């Protein structure tokens, strides 16, 4: 007579195996590190809503007691149409608007901070620095193989930068415009996917509160203070989120409580 144990074992173990199979992805997802797990410096910008063209910036640094506010916060200008999910260090999101080239929205999410740039030959910052030339452009043309990159026309050729609206020496191309005198790269769309948004920076505003095409803009002294504080060894990241999204994702993403921010 054949044993009943194999049959019973299959009946008992099959449902258990299914449960383990379902639970494995959930456990894996919860064990994933938070997007800011390695960062020791954060720049956090929050906005009242997806469609608000302004926000509030607060810097944080990680200490032995967790995230602590660094200096006081201040208001910044954002994209003229508000913000939308960008491509960065955070998991893809299905809700809310998504960033597209030319939509006038600042990318939302968590992003690495790239090099600083400006008009001067040198600045006071530990970040890698790119001095801009009259021939420097950021390519915002989706069809270009140089899309979402800062390039020098003297090196890549004048034809390679045709169509770009992002001359990086605005002072020379736009009647002394100061906006790119100092700034840093926000690494949205690091894979340079065509049409997903390009040339996203933190930079100076031309006039207080003036909205941007998708960047984050501020007063010159505020920018200088941030550049002097930022240190690539601290793996700094840039966070931009509507307030409701920030509160919804704060714990899962390892973000600081805004209630702990300096006044």
């Amino acid at each position: 007579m054949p044993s009943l144990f194999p049959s019973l074992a299959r009946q008992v173990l099959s449902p258990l195996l299914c449960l383990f199979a379902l639970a494995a992805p959930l456990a894996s997802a919860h064990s994933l590190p938070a997007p800011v797990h390695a960062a020791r410096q954060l720049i956090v910008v929050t906005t009242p809503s997806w469609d608000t063209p302004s926000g509030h910036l607060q810097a944080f640094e990680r200490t032995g007691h967790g995230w602590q506010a660094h200096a006081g916060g201040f208001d910044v200008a954002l994209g003229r149409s508000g913000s939308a999910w960008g491509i960065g260090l955070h998991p893809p999101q299905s809700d809310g608007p998504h960033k597209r080239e030319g939509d006038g929205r600042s990318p939302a999410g968590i992003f690495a901070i790239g090099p600083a740039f400006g008009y001067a030959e040198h600045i006071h910052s530990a970040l890698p620095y790119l001095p801009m030339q009259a021939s420097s452009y950021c390519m915002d043309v989706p069809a270009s193989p140089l899309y979402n990159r800062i390039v020098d026309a003297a090196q890549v050729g004048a034809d390679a930068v045709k169509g770009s609206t992002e001359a990086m020496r605005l002072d020379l191309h736009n009647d002394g415009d100061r906006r790119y005198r100092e700034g840093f790269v926000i690494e949205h769309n690091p894979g340079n996917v065509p049409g997903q948004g390009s040339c996203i920076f933190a930079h100076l505003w031309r006039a207080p509160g003036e909205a941007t095409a998708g960047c984050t803009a501020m007063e010159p002294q505020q920018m200088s203070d941030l550049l002097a504080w930022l240190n690539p060894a601290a793996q700094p990241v840039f966070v931009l989120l509507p307030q409701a999204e920030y509160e919804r994702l704060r714990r899962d993403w390892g973000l600081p409580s805004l209630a702990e921010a300096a006044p």
Side-chain angles (χ1 to χ4, degrees):
M1 177 179 177
S3 171
L4 294 176
F5 285 107
S7 175
L8 288 171
R10 282 195 297 272
Q11 292 178 38
V12 173
L13 290 176
S14 293
L16 290 175
L17 291 172
C18 289
L19 286 173
F20 286 136
L22 288 171
L26 294 175
S28 175
H30 284 292
S31 66
L32 289 174
V36 300
H37 74 284
R40 299 195 304 279
Q41 291 182 327
L42 292 182
I43 294 176
V44 174
V45 176
T46 51
T47 74
S49 73
W50 285 114
D51 299 325
T52 306
S54 60
H56 188 78
L57 185 150
Q58 177 64 57
F60 291 87
E61 49 197 352
R62 196 192 298 271
T63 71
H65 302 289
W67 290 113
Q68 301 291 323
H70 169 79
F74 52 86
D75 292 337
V76 293
L78 303 177
R80 61 183 178 273
S81 300
S83 54
W85 286 118
I87 304 172
L89 303 174
H90 55 281
Q93 302 295 306
S94 58
D95 62 323
H98 286 72
K99 174 70 184 167
R100 297 290 183 268
E101 185 68 47
D103 62 2
R105 291 182 180 269
S106 296
I110 301 178
F111 308 93
I113 290 176
F117 62 85
Y119 300 165
E121 195 64 30
H122 305 282
I123 63 167
H124 178 53
S125 181
L127 291 177
Y129 179 69
L130 304 174
M132 296 293 99
Q133 311 299 322
S135 51
S136 298
Y137 290 83
C138 188
M139 291 306 298
D140 56 353
V141 181
S144 170
L146 301 174
Y147 182 65
N148 198 29
R149 297 172 174 87
I150 296 175
V151 298
D152 189 339
Q155 297 176 0
V156 301
D159 287 344
V161 299
K162 279 185 178 178
S164 171
T165 65
E166 288 285 356
M168 297 302 294
R169 282 299 301 264
L170 286 175
D171 58 329
L172 303 179
H173 291 268
N174 194 32
D175 298 326
D177 193 324
R178 72 178 186 175
R179 282 176 290 173
Y180 291 171
R181 188 176 75 202
E182 280 190 341
F184 58 83
V185 175
I186 299 169
E187 293 193 343
H188 161 69
N189 192 15
N192 307 319
V193 180
Q196 300 302 298
S198 63
C199 308
I200 302 300
F201 312 129
H203 61 71
L204 310 185
W205 55 29
R206 182 166 47 187
E210 182 182 60
T212 72
C215 296
T216 298
M218 64 195 71
E219 286 283 1
Q221 187 59 55
Q222 293 162 345
M223 174 60 72
S224 294
D225 290 345
L226 285 178
L227 288 171
W229 172 70
L230 286 167
N231 186 340
Q235 300 185 59
V237 300
F238 183 92
V239 180
L240 190 153
L241 289 169
Q243 291 169 358
E245 295 298 317
Y246 190 94
E247 291 305 320
R248 178 175 71 87
L249 296 164
R250 182 176 69 82
R251 293 186 185 278
D252 286 346
W253 286 9
L255 301 173
S257 169
L258 296 179
E260 300 168 3

